[in-house]
Amino acid sequence: LVAPIMLEESRYSNEDPLANIFESIRKELLQSPTIRSAVVMSQVRDGLTPMTVEGVNYARETDQPETYARAVSTGLDAIGVSLKDGRWFDERDTSENFKSAMVSASLAQKLWPDGDSLGSRIRLSDNEDTQEWATVVGIVSDTLNGNPMSKNSSTDAIYFPLQQSKSRSANV
């Protein structure tokens, strides 16, 4: 079951802890005896997004890898995602702390074939002047992103903590 949530700008200012509102909805749902798990997920960008790995120079913009980018709460196991290496997001991953990320196993294999992904830094490349570097803290199992019938569907994904997102819309 998927339900969209949209927080109206007129009711919630940018100073409101939007992620806390999403998280309270998730926790409220978990109080129901018929719901075993729940996750809140928001698109950081629509579709595939170019990204950069710190220390890698790309000759052309088109050489940059592309990936899906999502902001997620805890509880990714609700959609069948498992932790392969590193750690899940936790209380360390707030807006006051360093930016963190988890990457899918397929993306980790492409970007770091020698397996040295944990501790590496990445960022989305669509606006390098404002996009902060994020440290990879976990590797998670692959799930298909995008339309399965599209050539743009991919298991490559970056997950950012919902607590570090300013998104006003999400799915639970």
Side-chain angles (χ1 to χ4, degrees):
L1 179 64
V2 176
I5 304 168
M6 298 192 76
L7 303 176
E8 296 177 25
E9 193 168 352
S10 62
R11 294 189 64 198
Y12 302 96
S13 71
N14 284 337
E15 287 76 43
D16 287 336
L18 301 176
N20 290 345
I21 296 167
F22 291 133
E23 184 61 16
S24 67
I25 293 169
R26 187 184 81 80
K27 287 180 177 177
E28 188 72 26
L29 286 170
L30 291 173
Q31 297 301 311
S32 169
T34 59
I35 296 178
R36 292 184 304 231
S37 60
V39 65
V40 178
M41 185 177 294
S42 176
Q43 289 186 4
V44 175
R45 304 285 189 277
D46 289 332
L48 289 167
T49 301
M51 61 162 297
T52 303
V53 175
E54 186 177 46
V56 177
N57 294 316
Y58 302 98
R60 299 178 307 254
E61 272 189 37
T62 55
D63 293 339
Q64 293 176 313
E66 292 185 317
T67 186
Y68 284 89
R70 308 280 189 251
V72 297
S73 67
T74 58
L76 273 175
D77 56 322
I79 59 170
V81 175
S82 61
L83 185 66
K84 298 292 186 187
D85 197 7
R87 66 172 177 86
W88 292 111
F89 295 140
D90 59 28
E91 65 278 350
R92 293 172 279 187
D93 304 303
T94 64
S95 58
E96 290 83 35
N97 292 332
F98 71 92
K99 193 156 182 160
S100 52
M102 293 186 297
V103 296
S104 63
S106 61
L107 184 61
Q109 180 61 38
K110 287 178 187 171
L111 300 178
W112 303 280
D114 296 330
D116 56 352
S117 55
L118 293 178
S120 297
R121 294 189 345 141
I122 57 177
R123 69 177 172 190
L124 301 180
S125 303
D126 56 346
N127 189 349
E128 291 186 25
D129 292 335
T130 60
Q131 184 66 34
E132 295 178 51
W133 289 102
T135 302
V136 177
V137 299
I139 310 301
V140 297
S141 61
D142 294 334
T143 59
L144 190 61
N145 294 282
N147 181 341
M149 305 305 280
S150 167
K151 65 179 177 122
N152 290 331
S153 65
S154 173
T155 56
D156 295 348
I158 299 173
Y159 301 96
F160 297 104
L162 192 61
Q163 291 291 334
Q164 295 178 350
S165 170
K166 292 180 174 45
S167 180
R168 295 188 167 281
S169 64
N171 290 318
V172 65

